């Protein structure tokens, strides 16, 4: 059975991706950092063979997690680099530590995970890497400068990796969600969320399952000739 690793699987988008890939027949490995209970419950729900705890901002912890996976399962057939954090703050109020933390959590984590698995994937000459970016990585978001910068970096990394790994039979693509109904938007009031939905051409905010379906497509053979692309799941908010 093909394997898929989901980082940040305890969150809304990560857990939806895990469920969708399990439906597609993958054996799903779940990474979490702080969401132990959510990851444990999800593992039971989808019969995931294992969960792995690591702070992916730390290259040493990331390497240890990846090495454990390699020793037991080999390199995953699909990697979904989903782990990340968000922040809503004016740039002059962002501290040096917050900037570094955002880049580490949202960009470096995907680099560390991917780099560790690539030797085996290249040797095998197959694999699909799916990076989760954001609409703000495409267009930039006011009050979200560090987040936009990190997610824009994810898009650039995706395109560069696709060119580098294409000759090895490895596809690298990106999903850029719009405003998705997860805990990341819990800071907004119902009135604010309703106003946001009115700005979306399709008339609603996205659900984690909308993103998960795009991930499932990019993980499948249906996208066998697609690499280096950014699939925007935003209801038409940015076109």
């Amino acid at each position: 059975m093909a394997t898929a690793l989901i980082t940040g699987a305890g969150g809304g988008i990560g857990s939806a991706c895990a469920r969708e890939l399990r439906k597609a027949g993958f054996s799903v490995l779940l990474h979490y950092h702080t969401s132990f209970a959510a990851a444990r419950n999800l593992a039971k729900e989808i019969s995931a063979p294992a969960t792995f705890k690591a702070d992916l901002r730390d290259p040493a912890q990331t390497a240890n997690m990846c090495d454990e996976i390699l020793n037991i399962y080999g390199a995953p057939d699909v990697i979904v680099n989903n782990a990340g954090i968000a922040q809503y703050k004016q740039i002059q109020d962002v501290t040096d530590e917050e900037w570094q933390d955002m880049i580490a959590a949202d960009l470096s984590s995907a680099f560390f995970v991917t780099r560790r698995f690539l030797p085996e994937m290249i040797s095998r000459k197959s694999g699909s890497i799916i990076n989760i970016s954001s609409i703000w990585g495409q267009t930039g978001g006011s009050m979200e400068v560090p987040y936009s910068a990190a997610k824009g970096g994810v898009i650039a990394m995706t395109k560069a990796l696709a060119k580098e790994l294409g000759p090895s039979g490895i596809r690298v693509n990106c999903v850029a969600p719009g405003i998705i109904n997860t805990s990341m938007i819990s800071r907004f009031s119902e009135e604010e969320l309703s106003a946001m939905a009115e700005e979306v051409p399709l008339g609603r905010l996205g659900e984690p399952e909308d993103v998960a379906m795009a991930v499932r497509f990019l993980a499948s053979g249906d996208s066998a000739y697609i690499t280096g692309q950014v699939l925007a799941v935003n209801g038409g908010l940015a076109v």
Side-chain angles (χ1 to χ4, degrees), residues 96-176:
D96 295 348
E97 292 75 17
E98 287 172 333
W99 169 265
Q100 296 291 348
D101 196 44
M102 183 68 69
I103 298 301
D106 287 23
L107 177 58
S108 298
S109 62
F111 169 76
F112 295 147
V113 169
T114 300
R115 180 180 62 177
R116 200 70 176 186
F117 288 124
L118 276 181
E120 184 171 317
M121 295 177 79
I122 291 171
S123 176
R124 194 173 63 204
K125 291 191 176 300
S126 68
S128 176
I129 299 168
I130 304 162
N131 298 319
I132 306 300
S133 179
S134 167
I135 186 175
W136 307 132
Q138 295 178 293
T139 68
S142 176
M143 303 283 287
E144 298 189 71
V145 170
Y147 182 77
S148 299
K151 291 301 190 178
V154 169
I155 291 173
M157 183 173 67
T158 296
K159 294 182 177 183
L161 270 175
K163 293 178 179 179
E164 184 172 330
L165 299 178
S168 297
I170 300 167
R171 298 184 299 110
V172 189
N173 290 289
C174 185
V175 176

Side-chain angles (χ1 to χ4, degrees), residues 4 22 39 50 56-57 81-82 102 104 109 114 157 201 239:
R22 184 68 188 94
L56 300 184
R57 296 170 295 187
N81 286 310
N82 167 72
M102 183 68 69
S109 62
T114 300
M157 183 173 67
V239 296

Side-chain angles (χ1 to χ4, degrees), residues 153-205:
V154 169
I155 291 173
M157 183 173 67
T158 296
K159 294 182 177 183
L161 270 175
K163 293 178 179 179
E164 184 172 330
L165 299 178
S168 297
I170 300 167
R171 298 184 299 110
V172 189
N173 290 289
C174 185
V175 176
I179 305 172
I180 306 299
N181 188 21
T182 69
S183 60
M184 281 193 175
I185 63 170
S186 61
R187 63 179 176 268
F188 297 109
S189 68
E190 287 298 323
E191 292 77 13
E192 289 171 324
L193 294 174
S194 178
M196 291 178 190
E198 290 179 2
E199 296 295 320
V200 179
L202 288 184
R204 66 174 178 87
L205 302 183

